Amino acid sequence: MRKGFIIIIAIITFSVPASFGAKVHGYFITNAGDTVRTVFRVPVNLLSNALTYEKMQWKVKYGDKNIQAHTLMPDQATEFCFTYRGIPVRFLSVKNSIKASSSGFNPAPKIFLQLILVGTLNMFNFYEYDGFAGSNPTSPDVVMRESPGWHVVKILQKNSGELFRPRIAFFRKDMCNYLSDCPGLTEKINNRTYKSEDLKRIVEEYNEMCTP
């Protein structure tokens, strides 16, 4: 009986991705333009100590000077920043024109996206939930069998406009249309000098060559 109880507890424990909040110093900028320095409690995977970025797309917790806990939502700030294990992390609040949703139903008006490259053309990471597509349903390992999957989608934004998500299957067509104001760069995309895996370099070159 005792052995069975322990097995059940183990299954429950490892079926749910364990996480906790790590305290980090940082700041956020209000919609009025004020900078508020604070201590964030950011979600971290309990086993790997890696940040669970996908949770911060929708909200992040912080404390005020009286150590009262608050939740920062995308419609309450223009950005938030902190450093975790020596790595700077910056999220911008943007209009949710990609129709992302934390619940899978009604999209939120705004979303926090992790900023990767900044310039006239910004590049963000969007963490998209893909159910259990990346797991192995036949695995005897409970974690591998049940852990939900996330994959990173690169999102672009030009001149603070609407978000743009290039389609992998139509990458050349989408990017040539989107960056038509930079013919030298679109030529490299069209002749396959740059492919979908070179998106970071494409964004860097656009900001170097095609920014007024």
Side-chain angles (χ1 to χ4, degrees):
M1 180 68 179
R2 179 179 175 81
K3 182 178 180 181
F5 177 75
I6 293 174
I7 292 174
I8 292 172
I9 294 298
I11 291 175
I12 293 174
T13 300
F14 290 106
S15 293
V16 180
S19 64
F20 69 99
K23 292 183 178 180
V24 294
H25 290 274
Y27 68 88
F28 64 88
I29 299 178
T30 69
N31 292 328
D34 298 321
T35 299
V36 179
R37 301 200 175 277
T38 186
V39 175
F40 292 107
R41 185 177 286 276
V42 296
V44 175
N45 184 283
L46 186 59
L47 300 179
S48 66
N49 284 323
L51 290 169
T52 50
Y53 293 99
E54 62 272 12
K55 293 184 177 181
M56 290 183 281
Q57 296 179 143
W58 313 106
K59 60 185 178 182
V60 64
K61 296 184 181 298
Y62 70 97
D64 62 20
K65 60 183 180 181
N66 297 317
I67 321 181
Q68 294 295 313
H70 298 274
T71 300
L72 186 68
M73 307 296 290
D75 61 352
Q76 297 174 327
T78 60
E79 66 178 86
F80 70 87
C81 307
F82 61 86
T83 298
Y84 181 72
R85 295 191 161 191
I87 299 175
V89 177
R90 183 181 179 191
F91 278 77
L92 298 190
S93 175
V94 295
K95 182 181 177 182
N96 185 14
S97 54
I98 58 173
K99 305 301 182 185
S101 171
S102 60
S103 63
F105 296 101
N106 297 325
K110 303 188 83 172
I111 184 175
F112 285 128
L113 288 183
Q114 185 191 8
L115 184 64
I116 304 302
L117 292 174
V118 62
T120 301
L121 182 61
N122 289 336
M123 185 172 79
F124 300 94
N125 276 352
F126 170 57
Y127 297 85
E128 185 171 60
Y129 178 67
D130 57 10
F132 300 100
S135 58
N136 180 3
T138 64
S139 172
D141 187 311
V142 174
V143 175
M144 293 300 294
R145 187 171 67 245
E146 301 293 344
S147 295
W150 298 86
H151 67 277
V152 178
V153 177
K154 300 300 183 184
I155 302 293
L156 305 181
Q157 184 189 42
K158 184 166 43 171
N159 294 317
S160 300
E162 285 200 350
L163 302 178
F164 174 71
R165 176 177 178 172
R167 298 168 295 176
I168 297 300
F170 301 95
F171 182 79
R172 282 192 298 156
K173 178 181 178 181
D174 287 355
M175 291 302 296
C176 286
N177 288 337
Y178 188 62
L179 303 180
S180 60
D181 57 332
C182 191
L185 183 55
T186 56
E187 182 179 353
K188 292 182 180 180
I189 297 171
N190 208 33
N191 65 23
R192 299 180 186 273
T193 300
Y194 287 152
K195 301 178 182 179
S196 59
E197 58 266 31
D198 303 308
L199 185 56
K200 183 177 180 180
R201 181 58 198 149
I202 291 172
V203 174
E204 290 174 336
E205 189 163 318
Y206 181 91
N207 288 329
E208 291 168 3
M209 295 175 50
C210 305
T211 299

